[in-house]
Amino acid sequence: MKIVIIAATGGIGRQLLDQAMAAGHDVTAVVRSPHKLTGQHIRTVAADLASPDAATLESAIAGADAVLSGLGARSTAEAGVAWQGTRAIVEAMQATGVRRLVVVSAAPIGTVASPDRPNPPKHDPGDGFFMRHLGARFARTAFRTHYADLARMEDVIRASHLDWTISRPPKLTNKPVTGRYRTAIGRNLRGGFSVSRADVAHHMLAVLDQPQTIKQTIGIAR
């Protein structure tokens, strides 16, 4: 399968890259700093998703079977890159006729207000007592700017009419891939407090063969 990986040197992006290559996919890596992939036998495209160039993205995406994105702000100063960069990705996919898009978001986003969802539910249906009353509230306060960026990114995706899937993991760890994790369509996982970046990447690749995940948000956790 011909796959384009956005932000391929990030925490999840690098896992997507390594696992996709190991599985024999034809991979194009879209990165801000191509020198970080020196020695990798893959097509690399330099693009700054904070100020994306349409022609560059279209050239990278044209002819792909799917686009997988690990794009997200690494600091408060980068807030906005997720929704603005994803908007550019969506526009490039629409211009080139590529339809399958898989992105990573975050578990609390279903309860975060956004321009298209100004009155979201107060609780995710999969959250247990702790997350409903303490955990989710704390996370929304601590990561308010980042979550607002991801919520707006999800708005862009839902409005795109592409064949999208949004992965919503909780706290991310650097543990190795196991392939042993729980998932749920349209809700979080009760008692699911963490999952490794490697397992999130594993699932993002797996959903490419799961048509039932199209136009769905997927909770994932250990």
Side-chain angles (χ1 to χ4, degrees):
M1 185 178 292
K2 295 184 69 174
I3 295 174
V4 176
I5 298 175
I6 308 292
T9 57
I12 288 176
R14 190 57 190 250
Q15 291 292 333
L16 284 168
L17 178 62
D18 291 346
Q19 292 182 39
M21 291 177 62
H25 294 296
D26 180 351
V27 178
T28 294
V30 177
V31 294
R32 181 163 52 184
S33 304
H35 68 273
K36 293 183 179 180
L37 295 178
T38 300
Q40 297 280 355
H41 300 293
I42 56 171
R43 179 189 179 207
T44 304
V45 175
D48 184 353
L49 272 296
S51 53
D53 174 73
T56 299
L57 277 178
E58 288 176 21
S59 175
I61 289 170
D65 296 306
V67 176
L68 285 78
S69 175
L71 186 63
R74 294 174 296 182
S75 66
T76 301
E78 289 187 351
V81 70
W83 83 263
Q84 292 171 357
T86 300
R87 180 179 61 185
I89 293 164
V90 165
E91 289 173 352
M93 292 179 68
Q94 291 170 333
T96 56
V98 177
R99 295 199 52 81
R100 191 69 173 104
L101 174 65
V102 183
V103 306
V104 63
S105 183
I109 302 306
T111 60
V112 175
S114 66
D116 287 355
R117 298 174 73 243
N119 299 297
K122 291 184 178 180
H123 306 293
D124 185 280
D127 287 341
F129 180 88
F130 174 79
M131 288 303 295
R132 280 176 178 262
H133 298 283
L134 295 173
R137 185 181 303 173
F138 170 79
R140 286 195 299 269
T141 301
F143 301 103
R144 180 180 304 166
T145 303
H146 290 79
Y147 286 170
D149 187 13
L150 292 175
R152 195 165 181 181
M153 176 192 76
E154 291 196 9
D155 282 352
V156 169
I157 293 167
R158 280 190 292 266
S160 70
H161 304 296
L162 296 175
D163 294 335
W164 53 265
T165 303
I166 297 172
S167 177
R168 287 181 178 169
K171 178 182 176 181
L172 295 167
T173 74
N174 290 321
K175 293 181 180 180
V177 64
T178 66
R180 298 188 299 274
Y181 46 79
R182 296 176 293 146
T183 62
I185 291 178
R187 62 179 178 84
N188 293 333
L189 280 302
R190 185 156 299 194
F193 300 115
S194 68
V195 67
S196 71
R197 291 175 175 85
D199 275 338
V200 172
H202 182 274
H203 183 249
M204 290 174 71
L205 287 163
V207 301
L208 295 178
D209 295 319
Q210 298 172 0
Q212 69 271 24
T213 65
I214 290 175
K215 291 184 169 55
Q216 299 288 350
T217 59
I218 311 291
I220 176 171
R222 284 283 289 170

